[in-house]
Amino acid sequence: MPSRQTPSLRLRRTVAAALIPLLLATPLAPAFAQPAGLPDLGEMSAQDLSPLLEQRLGRAIMVESRRDPAYIDDLDLRAYLNRIAQKLVAYAPGGGIDIEVFPVRDGSVNAFAMPGGFIGVNAGLVTSTRTESELAGVVAHEIGHVVQRHIARGLSAQKDTMVIMLASLLAALAASQAGGQGPEAALVIGQAMAVDSQMTFSRAAEREADRTGFSMLQGAGFDPAGMVSFFGRMAQMSSLNEGTGQVFARSHPLSLERMSDMQNRARELSASHYVDSIDYLYVRAKLRVLQADGVNALLEAIRALGYQAEESKGTARSAAFYGAAVGWVLRKDAAQAQAAYAKATAGGVEHPMLARLGVEIALLENRPDDAVKLAQAAHARWPDQHSLGLAVAQSLQRANRHEEAIVELNKLASAWSDEPRIYQMLADSHAKLRHLIPEKRNLAEYYRRVGALPAAVEVLQQARIASKDFYEQSSIDAALTDVKREVDDERELLQQFRKN
Ligand SMILES: [Zn+2]
C-alpha cells in the first residue's frame, strides 16, 4: 500500500492551486476576469444550482478531464466501475440518476464527486480496498453525495471554497465553448481533486451520504460491513497522520459519531456472505501497476505482484500474474510479459481481461495478424464485451486492414453508439483510405460525444466545402444544424448564469 503522496501529484496540486486564479483571469472567460465578478458568484452559490446547469458543468469538466493524463482511458476498468455504480444506483432513493465513474491515475486514497454525477475514483483507493464491498462502500458514499445533490446545494462547510469551485468550473465551461482544445486546461482532474480536497462537506451532508450509501450498498447485495471497515481504516490512518488516507478523510470528515452511526447500522443487519467477483481481482491488479509513478515504482509493483502470485492459488494467483504482465507491457518488455501471461493463464484460466492482454502482447511483438485472430476468438467467446470488439478493430488497423476495421467499427457503433473512441478510430481508418468526407463526419461524431462542439462544427464545415454530392451536402447540413443548436443551447445557459 502506498504511504505517501507521489511527487507528481504534489506538483499537480500546486499547479492546480495556481490554475484556479489563472482560469479566472483567462480571456476565454471575460465575465469572470475581474475580481468584481466574484461577489456575483457568491450570491449565485447561495442559490441552488439547477440540475440542467449542473449537468452541463459536469459535461464541460469531463471534456477537459478526458484529455488529462491522469484520466485512465481503459474500457475494462471503466466498465467494471460503472457496473458497480449501476448496481448501487438501482437502489437509489428516487431512482433514475445518471452516474459515470472513471478511474484516475493517482496513488493516493481518494474518490470525488463532481457536478453532474461524474465520480472520479483514484487507483490508490481501489488498491487499498481489501474486499469488493469496501470499494462498493466508497462508491456508494460518493453516489450518496450525488443523490442528495450536495454539490449543487452548496453544502460545504466553507462557502468561499464553493465559490472558487463554481468559478473555476464555469471557466472550464467557457473554455469548452471556445473550442476546449487549449493545452492550459488539461490538468482539470487535478484541479477538481484539489478543489474537492479543500471542500469539506458539512457533517450533516456526510451523514446523509452515509445513510443513502448504506441503503444502496445493502440493496445491491454487497456486505454493508465493507463500508464500516474501509472508513474505519481511513479514520485510523488519518489519526496516525499517515498520508494515504488524509485526502479522503479531509474532504469527508470522519467523526466518532459518524463511525458509530455506521457501526450500529451494520450490526443491525444479519451477516452478509458476499463473495468478491473475479473481475475485482483483475481490476485491482491492473490498477496496482497503472498507479505506479515512474519506472522504479512500476518495477516495484511488478515485483510485489510476483511475490503475491507465488503465495496465492487459483484466480488470485492468475490475477497477480496478470497484473505483472500488464506491467511488463507498459515497460514494452514482450518476453517478460509473455512469461507472466503464460503463468496467469496456466491451467486454462480464462477471463476477458486476460484475453485482451493476450492481444496486446501479440501487438507488442508486432504480430498484428495473430492479434486479429486472438481478438476475434475472444470476441466470439464473450460477445457482450465491447472492449474485445474494439481490440479486433485495433488489431485490424495495426495490420493495415482498414476496410475490415471499418466494418467492425460500424458494427460496434450500432451496438454502442455513445463510445467516442469508435468514431475516432473510424476517422483514422477512413483517413488512411483517403475517404475525406467520412473521415470528417466521423471526427465530428467523435467531437460531439466528447462535448467539443465548436470543433465538431469546424470539421463539418470542412466536409460541406469538400462535398460534391447534393444528397451528401444536405445530410451534412442537417448534422450542422443539430450541432449548432447544441452550441446555442450551451451559450444561452452560460449567459443565464452570468446574469445572476
Ligand atoms: Zn463524503
Side-chain angles (χ1 to χ4, degrees), residues 121-143:
V121 176
N122 282 6
L125 185 139
V126 179
T127 55
S128 70
T129 60
R130 293 179 184 167
T131 64
E132 193 168 36
S133 293
E134 287 193 351
L135 174 58
V138 181
V139 176
H141 175 92
E142 294 299 331
I143 297 177

Side-chain angles (χ1 to χ4, degrees), residues 141-142 145 150 201-202 205-207 209-210 231 248 251-253 258:
H141 175 92
E142 294 299 331
H145 281 303
H150 287 155
F201 283 116
S202 70
E206 284 308 313
R207 217 165 25 235
D210 282 342
F231 281 105
F248 192 70
S251 48
H252 307 265
R258 223 188 118 192

